[in-house]
Amino acid sequence: MIRFENVTKRYPDGTTAVDDLSFEVAEGELVTLVGPSGCGKTTTMKMVNRLIAPSSGRVLLDGEDTASVDPVQLRRRIGYVIQQVGLFPHKTVLENTATVPHLLGWRRAKARERAAELLDLVGLDPSRYGDRYPQQLSGGQRQRVGVARALAADPPVLLMDEPFGAVDPVVREHLQTEFLRLQSELHKTVLFVTHDIEEAVRLGDRMAVYGSGRIEQYDAPATVLGAPATPYVAEFVGADRGLKRLSVTPVETGDLEQPPVVRLTDDAAGALARLREEEARWAVVLSASGDLHGWVSAEALAAGQEGTKGATGTVADHCRRMEAWLPLGAPLKQAFATMLQHDAGWIAVLDGDRFLGVLTPAGLHEALRRSTTADAAHLDRSEVTLETVSGV
Ligand code: ADP
Ligand code: MG
């Protein structure tokens, strides 16, 4: 969709801002460009919508050399969001959002209708905010208007240059969450510039880590964190990259353990016999309809049996509730947080309502190690066998 071919940008004063850059952004992909200030991110981005012309090389959009496209036509296909937002101060929020449809010659009513739709989409109630002026909004709200305006003409491509850089961390996290939700619906092709490694990791399908004028690594965030390509990248992503990886590594079925599973309505004696047979100390308990209910220990089942001389009731009489669960594919960080929150030695992993197995702290640790090794070797995680230090 967007393709850089050996692109170099030298400014008249001799600064080489971008040096022989080649990379590609697939359709519907969100790529973050991350690196320290002055490394050439903005220059890269502005060559896509021809605010800057390359000194050499080509930038292709949908296979077409952008140098041969009329810049005005080109920019209609490309939404552009910048940190300073650049809203017109004397126009209302609704008018600001309708700017591009208006320029495209849409009827006024249709343009306003579209603007209201977009404001709604970015989480601003148009009836409440539409008639305000930009200075009557918070910084975070102004950024939302900036995003709404960029999306108004429904361009396939979005360029975003540190769009959330000027808001406080809490608001920034909100905006990121909403932007991810939006992107999961809209599937735009996005180039997103940031100097914030956390933001790049969180948002990017892939991330391009910039050194000075060059891309040092172009990979999925988990790979960049798990297998930094150069010492520069390793330093840039930080010594806590292992921790950061927790947020981008999903729970997979191969990470799960399979304790015995019994139902609330099962006969307790039968459940105990099964636990003994499988030499398990406890079982997961599901409700009659298969929802997670909790767990029951062999000990509790056995104690019940003695007290009532073998008349034992059902599993429901002996089990305990446990509500710590996680959907399959959730990040390991969420798994870890859930374990801590419930002070639990395991959490159930569900696919929709279906119980799949349990994740333990040991399983979590293995999943992380396995995925790190897998990413470094470009393998599937399930293909990795771990060497473990035993007997310690
Ligand atoms: P980033 O967005 O990563 O902070 P930029 O692309 O803005 O970096 O800048 C890359 C380099 O090019 C920097 O050294 C910057 O000083 C230089 N630069 C940017 N714009 C110009 C310009 N118009 N003239 C000369 N040098 C520039
Ligand atoms: Mg910049």
Side-chain angles (χ1 to χ4, degrees):
M1 182 79 192
I2 305 174
R3 187 182 161 89
F4 278 72
E5 285 180 0
N6 307 99
V7 173
T8 294
K9 175 63 191 180
R10 218 166 281 114
Y11 285 110
D13 68 355
T15 310
T16 303
V18 168
D19 186 13
D20 194 25
L21 198 68
S22 295
F23 74 104
E24 206 172 306
V25 183
E27 186 170 344
E29 192 178 26
L30 198 172
V31 167
T32 49
L33 308 183
V34 63
S37 181
C39 65
K41 307 181 297 290
T42 295
T43 302
T44 303
M45 178 160 282
K46 285 183 168 171
M47 287 192 284
V48 178
N49 61 2
R50 288 190 62 185
L51 290 173
I52 292 176
S55 309
S56 62
R58 303 196 302 166
V59 182
L60 307 172
L61 193 67
D62 258 343
E64 195 177 10
D65 188 345
T66 51
S68 65
V69 184
D70 172 59
V72 176
Q73 295 290 337
L74 182 71
R75 284 173 208 150
R76 283 184 185 162
R77 289 151 62 190
I78 302 174
Y80 189 41
V81 190
I82 53 173
Q83 190 182 112
Q84 304 80 342
V85 197
L87 298 178
F88 301 112
H90 55 280
K91 284 190 176 184
T92 66
V93 164
L94 199 71
E95 288 162 352
N96 264 291
T97 309
T99 306
V100 180
H102 194 73
L103 286 175
L104 292 176
W106 294 23
R107 279 186 302 106
R108 190 178 143 82
K110 189 181 163 213
R112 291 177 70 89
E113 192 182 313
R114 172 70 180 161
E117 215 177 278
L118 261 304
L119 287 174
D120 212 29
L121 195 66
V122 298
L124 289 176
D125 178 358
S127 63
R128 182 154 169 218
Y129 297 100
D131 293 330
R132 291 202 195 177
Y133 289 88
Q135 74 271 19
Q136 297 172 308
L137 299 179
S138 71
Q141 290 167 337
R142 277 199 292 271
Q143 285 313 134
R144 285 170 201 225
V145 178
V147 173
R149 184 179 57 178
L151 289 170
D154 202 20
V157 175
L158 268 187
L159 305 180
M160 307 179 79
D161 196 345
E162 313 230 9
F164 310 144
V167 294
D168 66 69
V170 176
V171 175
R172 183 186 308 184
E173 204 182 316
H174 272 295
L175 290 172
Q176 289 170 351
T177 306
E178 293 199 1
F179 183 64
L180 281 174
R181 177 186 53 80
L182 211 60
Q183 172 64 359
S184 72
E185 287 172 27
L186 301 178
H187 306 290
K188 301 290 179 190
T189 304
V190 186
L191 261 190
F192 189 110
V193 163
T194 177
H195 62 262
D196 175 359
I197 176 74
E198 311 270 352
E199 185 165 75
V201 164
R202 177 150 192 239
L203 298 183
D205 297 317
R206 285 195 283 175
M207 55 196 276
V209 183
Y210 272 64
S212 173
R214 289 177 159 275
I215 293 178
E216 297 265 333
Q217 187 167 12
Y218 187 37
D219 261 319
T223 310
V224 172
L225 293 173
T230 64
Y232 169 88
V233 175
E235 179 165 354
F236 184 74
V237 298
D240 65 340
R241 61 177 190 266
L243 266 181
K244 290 192 181 104
R245 265 180 74 84
L246 284 173
S247 338
V248 290
T249 309
V251 173
E252 293 179 356
T253 33
D255 306 328
L256 307 182
E257 290 173 31
Q258 300 298 337
V261 176
V262 297
R263 303 269 168 159
L264 272 176
T265 48
D266 283 355
D267 176 61
L272 179 60
R274 254 197 65 204
L275 278 172
R276 286 187 170 151
E277 192 181 313
E278 297 186 30
E279 294 180 10
R281 285 171 39 227
W282 59 280
V284 169
V285 179
L286 303 183
S287 72
S289 56
D291 299 335
L292 177 67
H293 179 87
W295 61 285
V296 66
S297 66
E299 207 177 344
L301 288 166
Q305 214 163 26
E306 278 155 24
T308 54
K309 294 195 175 141
T312 59
T314 62
V315 168
D317 301 327
H318 309 282
C319 70
R320 297 171 65 170
R321 275 205 83 95
M322 158 74 163
E323 285 158 338
W325 66 275
L326 202 70
L328 185 68
L332 293 180
K333 183 177 172 182
Q334 191 183 337
F336 192 39
T338 309
M339 279 177 198
L340 292 176
Q341 185 194 340
H342 291 265
D343 192 19
W346 59 273
I347 49 175
V349 176
L350 310 182
D351 180 15
D353 289 334
R354 198 160 57 93
F355 171 80
L356 295 178
V358 305
L359 187 71
T360 62
L364 190 151
H365 182 216
E366 274 202 18
L368 196 64
R369 291 181 58 207
R370 221 180 272 279
S371 74
T372 309
T373 312
D375 284 342
H378 297 280
L379 284 174
D380 195 86
R381 192 155 126 200
S382 58
E383 295 170 47
V384 175
T385 340
L386 292 176
E387 238 181 73
T388 25
V389 183
S390 54
V392 180

